[in-house]
Amino acid sequence: GAVWKLRTSKGIGVKAVVANQDCQVRSEYYLAGLDSDTSTTVFLQHEGHKLTKDQHAFLQFALLYTNRAGQRRIRVHNLALPVVDNETE
């Protein structure tokens, strides 16, 4: 099994999660199985905190899993997204 968590900057939140299992919006998501074909889509939303143009919004995705040899592993991905006034920038 595996568990993953998404952390975001203040003002950004998870609106919905689409995955190959039942996912409700919460702080951690558990996977019964994990392989190279597993995928998850996360929809984000603005939650009222003022985001200023030319700043960055930060996301951190962490996945904790057990590999085939029985070793616990963690993978962490960090992303800095520029804040813009409109979607076309």
Side-chain angles (χ1 to χ4, degrees):
V3 61
W4 64 266
K5 185 170 190 162
L6 178 66
R7 293 182 179 99
T8 62
S9 294
K10 187 174 181 180
I12 304 292
V14 176
K15 180 177 182 178
V17 176
V18 178
N20 60 349
Q21 80 263 350
D22 180 30
C23 281
Q24 298 175 2
V25 175
R26 54 186 181 265
S27 63
E28 292 182 347
Y29 300 86
Y30 297 90
L31 302 167
L34 181 67
D35 61 29
S36 61
D37 294 325
T38 302
S39 64
T40 300
T41 301
V42 179
F43 293 92
L44 302 174
Q45 68 183 356
H46 182 243
E47 293 188 331
H49 179 76
K50 184 169 173 74
L51 299 172
T52 307
K53 186 176 179 178
D54 300 324
Q55 288 184 326
H56 285 84
F58 298 96
L59 305 174
Q60 182 183 65
F61 178 86
L63 173 68
L64 176 65
Y65 66 99
T66 304
N67 69 8
R68 289 183 181 178
Q71 300 169 324
R72 295 295 279 169
R73 299 283 176 103
I74 187 166
R75 291 188 181 261
V76 179
H77 299 273
N78 297 303
L79 185 62
L81 301 171
V83 175
V84 296
D85 286 337
N86 61 58
E87 297 173 5
T88 60
E89 289 186 42

